[in-house]
Amino acid sequence: MRILVIGSGGREHALVWKLQQSPYADRIFCAPGNAGTGEIAENIPVRASDLQALVSFAKENRVDLTVVGPDDPLAAGIIDLFAAEKLRAFGPDKSAARIESSKVFAKELMRAHKIPTAEARTFSDSNEALRYCEQMKFPLVIKADGLALGKGVIIAGDSATARATIDEMMNQHRFGDAGRRIVIEEFLQGTECSMHALVDGKHYVLLESARDHKRALDGDQGPNTGGMGAVSPANNWNSELQSQFEAQIMQPVLRSLLEKGVTFRGLLYPGLIVTGDGLRVLEFNCRFGDPETQALLPRMKSDLLPLLEATIDGNIDKCAIEWDARAAVTVVLASTGYPGKYETGKSISGLDHAAELENVQIFHAGTKRDGDQVKTAGGRVLAVTALGATIEAARARAYEAVSCICFEKCHYRRDIALNAVADNVTEL
Ligand code: AMP
């Protein structure tokens, strides 16, 4: 098979890395890819946002399967465009992708089907939103309706922050159309967990649990980022939570989408929080997580390619996924300043040395090849994953590999998976 993977992050490198191990994969293209995907696949100079060029490439190069990494092309309807040209592609169509691209849509779906989530109200008028905040207790969580590169969620600790946030989103259009409507919801206390599911419309198969670390700095301080590290399995997860998750969240979500005439085919991953009152949905994502994918795929023993095909063909219920019992820890190396301003073009050394360590896999994100050198080219630069018999062992090995790698103005968290080691499972 000829496969095209769309995107240029660590998630896409992990997808390419996993797919190229399949005996069914002949040739893999990555658009636009990074220095890491360029080593194991053919990078093509087409951006993930250039939907027409991607369709043309797939047609002209007789691509058998396209796998879409990021959320934006899904929200923009890339799957619908591919389908119109009879091209096979993995991911939800535009109407199903709304579960991620519109927080209002997701909230209404959850409310209508009593799926446990934070109490929330939706506003399209800033004065109404301001009046509502005046009656409420803080902290409150204010969310832009649409996609905002992970920056559209603000936890307002007081009314001054809430007022400024509402004004920025709704009046100053900081996120453009994405902030035309907002959701204001109660702040939930607990530990977070990501569950990934391959969904074929009617059925689903769960992947292993994972946790990511969203804040930029140690001790969960600093701004929210795309993710600074991950661990799988999540140690705040257990079989009781899993049963609750399937009965109260996964099954009703799929039923309610079908009732609306929406067929979700692709990867659905609800971001969850385990609170003292049980499990709650924070958000739905309609694609593989980044950096969760970099922790999950090294643990997946099964071939990913037939799983993606079964998802598209509607028979994922016939599939089971085999997992490595070992734990995986992923540490993200970023450019200092990320998620704000940062410099690029710094030479990276030590990659080969780090890759020689046993049970270590290095996934590239913002990297670029420049002659015989690899240079930084983005905010998140690398994701270093290690497997180990325990989370502690995986963590130690991941940081050993990180210590081999060097570039100017490199920043990474020192406490990835440390809370996973210390946290207790929340008693329900
Ligand atoms: P979202 O994009 O909705 O997942 O929000 C991004 C992050 O904001 C989540 O991973 C949580 O860390 C935090 N968050 C979102 N909603 C809430 C909430 N209701 N209570 C507490 N934290 C939240």
Side-chain angles (χ1 to χ4, degrees):
M1 281 178 71
R2 295 155 76 90
I3 300 164
L4 168 64
V5 174
I6 296 175
S8 60
R11 163 184 54 210
E12 286 75 20
H13 188 187
L15 286 166
V16 169
W17 170 82
K18 183 69 185 158
L19 289 170
Q20 54 110 32
Q21 294 167 35
S22 171
Y24 305 106
D26 292 322
R27 217 168 148 185
I28 305 187
F29 305 99
C30 192
N34 55 39
T37 60
E39 280 170 21
I40 53 173
E42 295 168 55
N43 284 348
I44 58 161
V46 180
R47 280 175 297 126
S49 55
D50 195 345
L51 307 192
Q52 285 304 339
L54 292 165
V55 170
S56 304
F57 179 87
K59 257 164 80 175
E60 282 158 20
N61 291 278
R62 291 172 284 108
V63 167
D64 299 299
L65 174 68
T66 298
V67 183
V68 184
D71 49 8
D72 292 298
L74 293 168
I78 191 168
I79 298 297
D80 310 61
L81 286 179
F82 271 64
E85 299 288 344
K86 305 231 168 347
L87 291 164
R88 258 165 98 73
F90 176 85
D93 65 14
K94 189 173 181 172
S95 77
R98 274 181 303 167
I99 200 159
E100 174 166 8
S101 65
S102 170
K103 291 200 189 283
V104 173
F105 175 83
K107 247 330 167 207
E108 281 169 3
L109 192 89
M110 287 190 275
R111 188 178 299 135
H113 293 84
K114 301 200 165 45
I115 293 166
T117 184
E119 282 300 324
R121 286 217 16 211
T122 298
F123 296 92
S124 46
D125 179 293
S126 63
N127 290 323
E128 267 181 43
L130 288 168
R131 274 200 296 279
Y132 176 74
C133 284
E134 273 161 25
Q135 311 152 19
M136 301 303 290
K137 278 214 210 90
F138 288 91
L140 284 173
V141 185
I142 305 178
K143 301 183 174 186
D145 174 40
L147 298 178
L149 294 170
K151 294 177 184 163
V153 175
I154 303 292
I155 295 164
D158 51 52
S159 79
T161 312
R163 273 202 303 276
T165 304
I166 291 168
D167 186 51
E168 266 187 15
M169 285 185 182
M170 302 188 84
N171 302 329
Q172 296 177 40
H173 310 292
R174 180 166 169 220
F175 302 116
D177 255 7
R180 213 166 40 80
R181 292 193 293 177
I182 61 167
V183 171
I184 302 183
E185 65 182 37
E186 65 174 321
F187 176 80
L188 297 173
Q189 202 109 41
T191 57
E192 291 180 46
C193 178
S194 309
M195 285 304 290
H196 285 58
L198 287 166
V199 177
D200 72 0
K202 288 195 180 133
H203 325 98
Y204 63 87
V205 170
L206 293 180
L207 274 59
E208 282 279 278
S209 62
R211 278 179 88 167
D212 80 346
H213 294 61
K214 280 214 164 63
R215 300 292 199 96
L217 308 174
D218 283 10
D220 283 335
Q221 301 296 308
N224 259 342
T225 69
M228 294 299 292
V231 52
S232 173
N235 84 316
N236 61 346
W237 197 246
N238 56 34
S239 56
E240 193 188 328
L241 283 171
Q242 180 137 330
S243 311
Q244 200 181 330
F245 168 67
E246 298 201 46
Q248 296 179 9
I249 297 169
M250 277 310 290
Q251 289 156 10
V253 165
L254 295 201
R255 264 202 313 274
S256 58
L257 284 170
L258 284 174
E259 274 171 27
K260 273 181 173 295
V262 175
T263 305
F264 188 106
R265 282 195 204 92
L267 192 293
L268 181 68
Y269 106 68
L272 305 166
I273 186 160
V274 185
T275 74
D277 299 324
L279 209 48
R280 300 280 183 277
V281 176
L282 287 177
E283 61 167 347
F284 286 107
N285 299 287
C286 68
R287 33 79 204 175
F288 283 93
D290 187 340
E292 289 95 326
T293 305
Q294 294 92 305
L296 286 168
L297 292 185
R299 295 190 61 215
M300 186 186 278
K301 284 185 167 173
S302 309
D303 186 346
L304 178 62
L305 190 46
L307 292 168
L308 300 184
E309 295 229 84
T311 303
I312 297 173
D313 293 334
N315 45 37
I316 197 67
D317 56 325
K318 313 257 174 0
C319 302
I321 308 178
E322 210 191 323
W323 293 97
D324 192 323
R326 289 177 297 171
V329 169
T330 301
V331 180
V332 170
L333 274 63
S335 304
T336 297
Y338 170 78
K341 275 206 179 115
Y342 53 83
E343 294 170 24
T344 58
K346 313 288 181 197
S347 296
I348 307 173
S349 62
L351 287 171
D352 291 343
H353 184 35
E356 276 166 17
L357 290 174
E358 213 182 330
N359 298 322
V360 167
Q361 198 58 50
I362 296 168
F363 298 113
H364 290 229
T367 67
K368 209 166 152 178
R369 181 157 283 283
D370 183 2
D372 60 357
Q373 288 194 38
V374 175
K375 293 193 168 166
T376 67
R380 288 190 290 174
V381 176
L382 298 162
V384 176
T385 298
L387 291 169
T390 60
I391 291 176
E392 289 91 327
R395 185 173 185 276
R397 179 47 61 96
Y399 278 105
E400 190 185 342
V402 166
S403 72
C404 301
I405 301 170
C406 187
F407 60 87
E408 207 185 307
K409 303 228 165 122
C410 169
H411 162 70
Y412 60 90
R413 280 181 59 162
R414 265 74 175 168
D415 64 347
I416 301 302
L418 195 60
N419 59 352
V421 175
D423 268 357
N424 289 319
V425 172
T426 307
E427 292 300 332
L428 295 181

